[in-house]
């Protein structure tokens, strides 16, 4: 069943699989897509307030850049955009990474940025639904932004039980359930150590496990 009363929806991120599921699961009049790497450009455009904002992106191209730019692109520019396109009635859905540890710190730039953004959204807005997602699969195939070798290695980690997977259809079932029940879970802050060291995307993925 499609959710109603969310006429204006925006997806921040250019994941085709998420956009496809949004079209299947929501009844809307306006659906806009804001690519993650173009957030800064949209900050300069005319303001449009949305009923639902789905945040599912990340700039994977700046792992080797300075940490200040990394934080701007993946935390603070998105936060500025959310302030511009929302009001006190706007609902937010944030796709976070799964937390396999109870520690409040990480060595991973990705894990740091994802949880820090969840925290600052929670501090600045109401109505935040957060989905802590395992490795996403689409028709039982791993769906990650990475090269073939990395995909193969992560497939092995899944087979060995180090990583869990979830079908994207189940993610959207959880989204609809939480939106309908108004399940808004508070988000914790996180610290990052040694994040100023540039690294490859693959190395950073491994660091998420610690």
């Amino acid at each position: 069943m499609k959710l109603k009363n969310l006429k204006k929806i925006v997806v921040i991120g250019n994941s085709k699989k998420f956009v496809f599921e949004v079209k299947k699961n929501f009844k809307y009049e306006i659906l806009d897509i804001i690519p993650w790497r173009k957030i800064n450009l949209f900050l300069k455009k005319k303001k449009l307030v949305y009923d639902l904002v789905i945040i599912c992106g990340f700039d994977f191209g700046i792992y080797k850049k300075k940490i200040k730019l990394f934080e701007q692109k993946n935390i603070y520019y998105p936060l500025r955009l959310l302030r511009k396109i929302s009001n006190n009635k706007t609902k937010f859905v944030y796709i976070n990474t799964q937390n396999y540890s109870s520690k409040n710190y990480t060595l991973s730039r990705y894990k740091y940025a994802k949880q820090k953004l969840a925290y600052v959204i929670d501090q600045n807005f109401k109505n935040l639904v957060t989905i802590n997602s395992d490795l996403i699969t689409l028709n039982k195939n791993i769906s990650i932004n990475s090269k073939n070798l990395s995909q193969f290695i992560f497939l092995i980690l899944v087979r060995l039980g180090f990583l869990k997977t979830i079908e994207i259809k189940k993610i959207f079932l959880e989204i609809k359930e939480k939106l309908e029940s108004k399940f808004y879970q508070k988000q914790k802050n996180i610290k990052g150590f040694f994040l100023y060291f540039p690294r490859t995307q693959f190395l950073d993925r491994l660091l998420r496990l610690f």
Side-chain angles (χ1 to χ4, degrees):
M1 181 178 177
K2 291 188 176 184
L3 287 183
K4 301 177 181 179
N5 302 322
L6 298 168
K7 296 180 180 180
K8 292 183 288 186
I9 300 176
V10 62
V11 177
I12 303 177
N14 53 357
S15 170
K16 293 181 180 179
K17 58 182 179 288
F18 270 94
V19 173
F20 179 78
E21 291 295 329
V22 169
K23 291 178 179 179
K24 280 177 55 179
N25 288 279
F26 294 92
K27 188 175 182 179
Y28 55 86
E29 294 179 1
I30 296 174
L31 174 60
D32 289 334
I33 313 299
I34 300 179
W36 198 267
R37 296 185 186 184
K38 295 183 179 180
I39 285 177
N40 204 27
L41 297 177
F42 278 82
L43 286 171
K44 303 172 184 178
K45 292 189 175 184
K46 185 178 178 180
K47 179 179 179 179
L48 175 62
V49 174
Y50 294 92
D51 301 309
L52 176 65
V53 180
I54 300 175
I55 308 113
C56 61
F58 188 82
D59 190 341
F60 290 95
I62 55 174
Y63 277 110
K64 297 182 181 180
K65 302 295 183 181
K66 291 183 178 180
I67 187 61
K68 184 176 181 180
L69 177 63
F70 182 86
E71 289 180 322
Q72 285 177 332
K73 292 278 191 177
N74 285 310
I75 303 171
Y76 299 111
Y77 286 167
L79 179 62
R80 284 175 57 194
L81 179 65
L82 296 181
R83 286 174 175 155
K84 182 175 182 177
I85 63 176
S86 66
N87 59 26
N88 60 359
K89 294 182 179 180
T90 300
K91 292 179 171 57
F92 299 88
V93 172
Y94 181 67
I95 308 300
N96 200 356
T97 186
Q98 185 62 268
N99 188 4
Y100 293 103
S101 170
S102 60
K103 299 173 183 175
N104 68 338
Y105 66 87
T106 182
L107 304 175
S108 163
R109 281 190 172 192
Y110 179 87
K111 184 175 179 180
Y112 168 77
K114 293 293 284 187
Q115 183 57 38
K116 177 65 86 170
L117 182 55
Y119 175 74
V120 296
I121 294 174
D122 184 50
Q123 292 296 299
N124 284 271
F125 306 98
K126 302 186 298 181
N127 309 329
L128 171 64
V129 165
T130 303
I131 306 296
N132 294 318
S133 172
D134 292 305
L135 197 60
I136 296 173
T137 56
L138 183 61
N139 298 323
K140 298 184 179 180
N141 295 314
I142 293 176
S143 177
I144 59 174
N145 188 319
S146 192
K147 296 180 180 179
N148 290 336
L149 178 59
S150 296
Q151 290 184 357
F152 176 72
I153 292 173
F154 277 89
L155 178 60
I156 292 175
L157 292 174
V158 169
R159 294 285 175 84
L160 293 175
F162 290 105
L163 295 175
K164 296 180 180 179
T165 63
I166 183 171
E167 273 284 333
I168 193 167
K169 293 179 181 179
K170 291 185 178 180
I171 291 177
F172 273 81
L173 286 174
E174 185 177 353
I175 288 172
K176 290 196 291 185
E177 288 174 0
K178 287 187 174 182
L179 284 173
E180 290 176 335
S181 64
K182 298 182 180 180
F183 183 79
Y184 306 133
Q185 189 174 7
K186 300 298 291 183
Q187 295 299 304
K188 295 180 180 180
N189 201 358
I190 190 170
K191 297 177 181 178
F193 293 124
F194 305 110
L195 301 183
Y196 46 83
F197 287 115
R199 73 283 305 274
T200 63
Q201 180 180 339
F202 176 70
L203 176 58
D204 195 83
R205 282 184 180 274
L206 292 179
L207 290 172
R208 291 187 219 170
L209 302 176
F210 300 100

